[in-house]
Amino acid sequence: MQKENAKILDEMAIDRIIEMAWEDRTPFDAIEFQFGLKEADVKALMKKELKFSSYKLWRERVENCKTKHSAKRVEGIDRFKCKLQRNISNNKISKR
């Protein structure tokens, strides 16, 4: 992970990144847009913050999830969250 990004992230931001990474419908592009972390940085953060068994489960889930990668998404999905989803506090995207 890039050192400048690691210094900027506080505990609340790390928790939100982990939450977004676990969500199947949230692509890595949304995390990069909001926090400036590329997919590799998110994977490194998850490996550092999660127990190894949880990290393995997450990686397996991400590999099999078509919605986590924008290139694999179905045509027509052009938003980061469901339009029916409630606004989440501390989520910059939902506060626009």
Side-chain angles (χ1 to χ4, degrees):
M1 186 182 327
Q2 300 170 353
K3 289 183 181 181
E4 59 272 4
N5 283 339
K7 292 178 186 174
I8 295 171
L9 297 175
D10 60 1
E11 190 174 323
M12 213 160 93
I14 290 172
D15 287 345
R16 182 65 187 134
I17 292 167
I18 291 170
E19 182 181 359
M20 291 174 77
W22 271 105
E23 294 170 351
D24 289 339
R25 295 189 70 156
T26 305
F28 287 111
D29 292 345
I31 298 171
E32 184 175 0
F33 176 79
Q34 188 169 348
F35 295 99
L37 296 177
K38 297 191 180 298
E39 182 178 345
D41 297 332
V42 173
K43 288 177 182 177
L45 178 80
M46 295 292 278
K47 190 171 189 176
K48 179 181 161 222
E49 295 292 326
L50 299 178
K51 294 186 300 185
F52 184 70
S53 59
S54 298
Y55 173 74
K56 277 178 51 177
L57 287 172
W58 175 76
R59 280 302 308 265
E60 185 177 324
R61 183 176 173 148
V62 166
E63 294 298 321
N64 295 323
C65 185
K66 294 180 181 177
T67 56
K68 287 306 272 187
H69 300 88
S70 295
K72 294 181 181 179
R73 290 187 99 158
V74 176
E75 188 91 17
I77 298 177
D78 57 356
R79 60 189 184 278
F80 293 148
K81 65 176 189 151
C82 175
K83 63 183 175 185
L84 301 175
Q85 180 180 350
R86 291 183 320 157
N87 289 344
I88 300 170
S89 60
N90 302 318
N91 184 348
K92 295 176 189 174
I93 295 172
S94 68
K95 292 184 178 180
R96 287 200 205 159

